[in-house]
Amino acid sequence: MNRRRFIKGAAAATFTIGAGIRLAAPSAGAACSQLRHLSVNQGRILSASYRAITSDTNGAPLCDVEGAPIGLIDDLVGSLSARDRFELSAGLVLLEQSPLFLCGHWSRFTALNLEQQRDCLNKWRLGPRIGRPLFTAIKELCFLAHYTEPAHWESIGYRGPLVSGSGVATALDAPYLALLAPGELP
Amino acid sequence: MIHTRRTLTADQELEFDVCIIGSGAGGGAAAYSLSRAGRRVAVIERGSYLTPKDFSQREEKMFPQLFYDAGGRRTRDKAIRVLHGHGVGGSTLHNINLCKRTPEEVIAGWELPRFNLEKFNPYLIKIESLLGVTAVREDQLNASNRAFRRGVEKLGYRGGMLSHNRQGCVGSGFCELGCAFDAKMNVLRVLVPQAVAAGAEIYADTRAVAVEHSGRRARGVQCEVLAEDGRVQARLRIRARTVICAGGAIETPLLLQRSGVPDPNHLVGSRLHLHPGVVAAGVFDEPINSWMGIPQSYECTEFLSFKRGGTDEDKRVWIIAGSAHPAGAASLLPSFGDEHRKRMEQYPRFAPLSSMVHDRSSGTVGRKGEYGADINYQLNEEDCAQLARGLRESARILLAAGAREVLFPFTEPLVVRNDAELQAAPIAVRPLEIDVVAVHPMSSVWMGRDAHSSCTDESGRYQQLDNLYISDASLYPTSLGVPPQISTYAIGLYVADQIT
């Protein structure tokens, strides 16, 4: 069975199982209602994953910045191809429903406590190879959002960019801007 | 001149002598050569026109701007990440500027009577001169490369300094995110200005939808101008006497497939090589700060030989220093939570080494949805063994250089602290158990002698259409075993010269 068929089949199955079980859905955070590319539910699943992936065993976040940078994760998801977004969506459905068949918890992923969420993610990480890419994709999104936040650089000894990133043209840009067609410059 | 989405707001029909799809090394060089020869040239580029002010040195901003699928493109089984770029300048915007010539033995092995070293060498020499290729100076070695060299020399392995195309480099170390200091002697800086001065028209933010063709002729190219949010804001139809596909070894076969060009033997998109690599990281007591300075300036070729037969037959691994900014490094490190955090706290003391295999494995590129890429490629056992050898030898080099420990980023992390532990370590490369990264896709529309066994002839002309050419890394009949940058620039000049 190829990967795509597996994901589609498993997503359909877990939807069915999920619909048959009464599970309390946590309330959506305000940040998740502002998303452009992710649904509120997807935002909630990724926020929970971010917290589990980036906090330590005691649940302490890695730095003082509060909350998951779900807006940035949303932007990153927006830059993926439509197909990749579809696969990620299916994967998030699977993750949300997976505690039942993966860890024996009668609950959604987002309703688990932090330790259980970490356990669940670890099962995805080390489980069958067909499921590992989902963990990898979520991990990459979370770490990309986490380690591009300047507040997180000091703890790892990274000094950040050498340029301001303001996007203001300097003498270096002049020869390039001269190549533009009329009307291109604001 | 260069046109972007800012002014390309209305549908247009245009006519040129040559339409080149892709502005990377192959397309940029062809545009340079043909426009200077008096041809009216249009260049279609999917990505944006970025200038030094745009290279913000921020991973989250530059990945989407410089790479297809924001750098998240992977093979079908998700085992290998495949990075290839877009933007005016293509992959030359983000590459690390290594210039290694096409190995003579590799060209000889292709056994192409009309494409041989004697014929190709002048193009390599010309492009090296144009781009100011020089050897990296001793004082430009950063701490990571110095440690690498120390280990190689201590073990008596074969190694050496690399050559680069950069000028005015301040050693900021952000090469893979584009150069904010404009020190890359690449398509953007060297070839585009000269092509534009000679009359070339470059259309950025513009996607080639299909090559129009009838009979044995390409007629032109249908294009879409993309708004910032990805929607189509205008359509261009470019009629041209000659069409050149130069979108790279992933996008070129996809375009040909989308266009429905004749392919009676179903060759287009097959035989893909990726030159994939894996990383091992040495952890040193002293700060290395591998993200600072020129990332890759020294190589170990002890386990890389292009000779056929004998004991060298089995040497197909090229070892080179690696570097990554925090998000990239964090993604490569195994696990998460506490364990991951402890590893990230060692980030300034990491010296990573990358091992790339001159791959014999080959795969296919096919369409995934309308514009996506379905890359079906699996490493064969021999290549996995070569990569495992690369990991082991990288660790040996790092330990010899004084690393306190070496980390192999397998799903279950493996750490060795000395030669005895290394000897006993179960190092094996299996899919999805270690991150494999490929930045050099090649060979998916290869040249050869006849239409039954190759996609183009030895001039780069597509076997089934008389005026359609390929001018990128797709053309190589095999993996090169080295970074294809300078070869692909030279291919661009070569193909341009074949067009009458």
Side-chain angles (χ1 to χ4, degrees):
Chain A
M1 186 187 300
N2 71 29
R3 204 180 139 274
R4 195 175 304 155
R5 284 178 63 192
F6 170 82
I7 288 178
K8 281 181 184 168
T14 47
F15 264 130
T16 311
I17 293 167
I21 305 170
R22 279 192 176 182
L23 298 169
S27 62
C32 290
S33 61
Q34 316 264 322
L35 302 175
R36 290 185 302 152
H37 307 288
L38 293 163
S39 69
V40 172
N41 269 338
Q42 290 168 344
R44 206 160 44 211
I45 298 165
L46 282 168
S47 292
S49 303
Y50 176 87
R51 194 172 58 117
I53 280 175
T54 61
S55 58
D56 68 18
T57 318
N58 302 319
L62 291 186
C63 85
D64 296 333
V65 175
E66 276 196 19
I70 194 65
L72 178 51
I73 292 175
D74 186 49
D75 287 345
L76 294 168
V77 169
S79 60
L80 299 177
S81 69
R83 279 287 177 157
D84 287 343
R85 264 184 278 173
F86 168 78
E87 289 183 5
L88 179 66
S89 301
L92 291 176
V93 171
L94 275 176
L95 174 63
E96 177 71 332
Q97 305 295 345
S98 64
L100 182 62
F101 62 82
L102 212 59
C103 323
H105 298 299
W106 195 252
S107 176
R108 291 173 193 260
F109 175 77
T110 46
L112 297 175
N113 66 34
L114 190 65
E115 193 184 335
Q116 290 168 331
Q117 284 173 339
R118 292 165 59 83
D119 177 48
C120 187
L121 284 169
N122 219 22
K123 290 225 160 59
W124 278 98
R125 178 172 81 89
L126 299 171
R129 286 187 195 173
I130 204 162
R132 289 182 196 177
L134 173 64
F135 171 77
T136 304
I138 291 172
K139 175 183 148 180
E140 284 178 359
L141 281 172
C142 292
F143 280 138
L144 188 53
H146 185 81
Y147 283 110
T148 50
E149 164 57 54
H152 297 166
W153 291 340
E154 196 183 337
S155 66
I156 57 166
Y158 177 63
R159 289 170 219 163
L162 299 181
V163 295
S164 69
S166 62
V168 176
T170 68
L172 287 177
D173 297 274
Y176 295 105
L177 300 179
L179 304 178
L180 284 164
E184 286 285 350
L185 287 172
Chain B
M1 278 187 286
I2 296 174
H3 311 262
T4 75
R5 59 169 68 101
R6 183 183 283 273
T7 53
L8 296 171
T9 52
D11 293 356
Q12 294 181 64
E13 287 215 11
L14 304 158
E15 196 162 338
F16 288 89
D17 294 332
V18 183
C19 181
I20 301 172
I21 301 150
S23 66
Y32 161 86
S33 186
L34 289 164
S35 56
R36 285 165 55 92
R39 308 293 179 96
R40 290 179 307 120
V41 174
V43 180
I44 308 300
E45 171 52 51
R46 164 69 184 79
S48 296
Y49 180 50
L50 304 173
T51 67
K53 67 176 169 27
D54 300 310
F55 299 118
S56 62
Q57 304 190 334
R58 298 289 302 251
E59 290 169 278
E60 79 282 16
K61 292 197 171 89
M62 296 317 301
F63 281 9
Q65 294 205 66
L66 292 176
F67 297 101
Y68 277 92
D69 296 346
R73 195 167 261 190
R74 284 181 174 268
T75 50
R76 185 188 289 175
D77 63 1
K78 309 291 185 199
I80 304 176
R81 183 203 298 263
V82 183
L83 290 169
H84 60 119
H86 55 48
V88 174
S91 289
T92 73
L93 293 176
H94 75 255
N95 76 6
I96 313 284
N97 297 67
L98 300 186
C99 297
K100 274 190 78 72
R101 281 193 181 183
T102 328
E104 293 178 14
E105 298 90 340
V106 170
I107 295 181
W110 295 341
E111 295 177 347
L112 300 175
R114 288 172 47 222
F115 185 94
N116 50 40
L117 192 66
E118 196 183 346
K119 198 160 185 183
F120 192 49
N121 227 18
Y123 294 100
L124 287 166
I125 292 166
K126 181 177 178 183
I127 197 67
E128 285 175 347
S129 163
L130 266 172
L131 303 182
V133 175
T134 52
V136 177
R137 298 190 315 268
E138 288 279 326
D139 63 305
Q140 289 179 305
L141 280 174
N142 68 2
S144 178
N145 281 276
R146 281 201 303 273
F148 176 28
R149 184 169 74 172
R150 194 164 63 236
V152 168
E153 288 177 351
K154 199 162 172 187
L155 293 170
Y157 287 169
R158 188 172 62 222
M161 301 288 283
L162 287 159
S163 291
H164 283 207
N165 53 322
R166 59 179 88 222
Q167 203 171 79
C169 177
V170 300
S172 75
F174 288 82
C175 308
E176 92 277 16
L177 302 179
C179 186
F181 299 96
D182 199 26
K184 291 188 175 187
M185 297 291 282
N186 57 10
V187 171
L188 182 68
R189 177 169 165 183
V190 180
L191 302 183
V192 162
Q194 296 192 60
V196 170
E201 302 284 345
I202 297 177
Y203 297 89
D205 308 314
T206 301
R207 172 168 63 202
V209 177
V211 175
E212 294 180 345
H213 57 92
S214 61
R216 285 194 59 90
R217 306 281 303 172
R219 305 289 171 187
V221 184
Q222 295 170 14
C223 310
E224 294 173 340
V225 182
L226 302 176
E228 205 144 351
D229 61 6
R231 80 189 153 75
V232 178
Q233 69 175 37
R235 289 172 209 282
L236 306 183
R237 187 169 177 217
I238 297 176
R239 274 183 246 166
R241 280 184 220 149
T242 302
V243 174
I244 299 178
C245 294
I250 304 295
E251 291 299 318
T252 285
L254 289 177
L255 173 64
L256 296 176
Q257 290 166 1
R258 268 202 309 275
S259 308
V261 298
D263 181 18
N265 300 307
H266 307 289
L267 301 177
V268 170
S270 57
R271 206 192 264 200
L272 173 74
H273 293 287
L274 290 176
H275 199 215
V278 288
V279 171
V283 184
F284 285 76
D285 287 330
E286 68 276 15
I288 298 290
N289 297 336
S290 65
W291 68 89
M292 294 169 73
I294 295 175
Q296 297 171 330
S297 43
Y298 189 79
E299 64 175 344
C300 172
T301 51
E302 179 70 20
F303 307 98
L304 181 66
S305 171
F306 298 103
K307 287 180 193 152
R308 288 176 151 190
T311 51
D312 277 350
E313 178 73 20
D314 202 31
K315 291 183 172 180
R316 290 190 288 117
V317 179
W318 184 56
I319 302 177
I320 189 162
S323 79
H325 292 283
S331 298
L332 278 174
L333 287 174
S335 193
F336 61 94
D338 281 356
E339 191 181 348
H340 191 275
R341 180 175 62 171
K342 281 177 194 151
R343 284 292 170 201
M344 280 305 284
E345 283 169 0
Q346 296 174 324
Y347 174 58
R349 296 189 283 122
F350 280 150
L353 290 183
S354 175
S355 305
M356 295 185 201
V357 62
H358 178 29
D359 50 336
R360 290 179 182 159
S361 315
S362 71
T364 61
V365 185
R367 295 172 65 194
K368 180 174 163 187
E370 209 169 357
Y371 294 105
D374 175 24
I375 303 168
N376 187 12
Y377 176 103
Q378 276 117 27
L379 283 163
N380 65 25
E381 277 183 30
E382 279 183 333
D383 286 350
C384 285
Q386 288 289 322
L387 287 173
R389 181 186 198 179
L391 285 173
R392 195 176 284 283
E393 293 300 341
S394 294
R396 209 185 301 281
I397 291 166
L398 289 162
L399 290 171
R404 170 200 287 248
E405 61 183 30
V406 177
L407 169 69
F408 301 96
F410 292 110
T411 309
E412 286 286 13
L414 175 67
V415 174
V416 298
R417 291 170 192 83
N418 53 50
D419 285 336
E421 285 183 16
L422 177 60
Q423 192 78 17
I427 297 170
V429 170
R430 298 186 192 92
L432 296 166
E433 290 192 2
I434 189 168
D435 240 325
V436 182
V437 181
V439 292
H440 302 142
M442 303 178 235
S443 314
S444 53
V445 193
W446 69 97
M447 61 181 157
R449 279 188 276 194
D450 62 74
H452 296 291
S453 61
S454 60
C455 303
T456 82
D457 66 15
E458 289 150 273
S459 70
R461 183 170 57 187
Y462 190 63
Q463 299 278 17
Q464 312 298 330
L465 298 176
D466 295 336
N467 60 338
L468 176 68
Y469 288 79
I470 310 299
S471 174
D472 58 31
S474 312
L475 274 184
Y476 309 129
T478 64
S479 161
L480 298 188
V482 296
Q485 178 194 210
I486 206 73
S487 306
T488 307
Y489 275 110
I491 275 284
L493 297 180
Y494 167 80
V495 170
D497 268 5
Q498 312 307 306
I499 295 170
T500 49

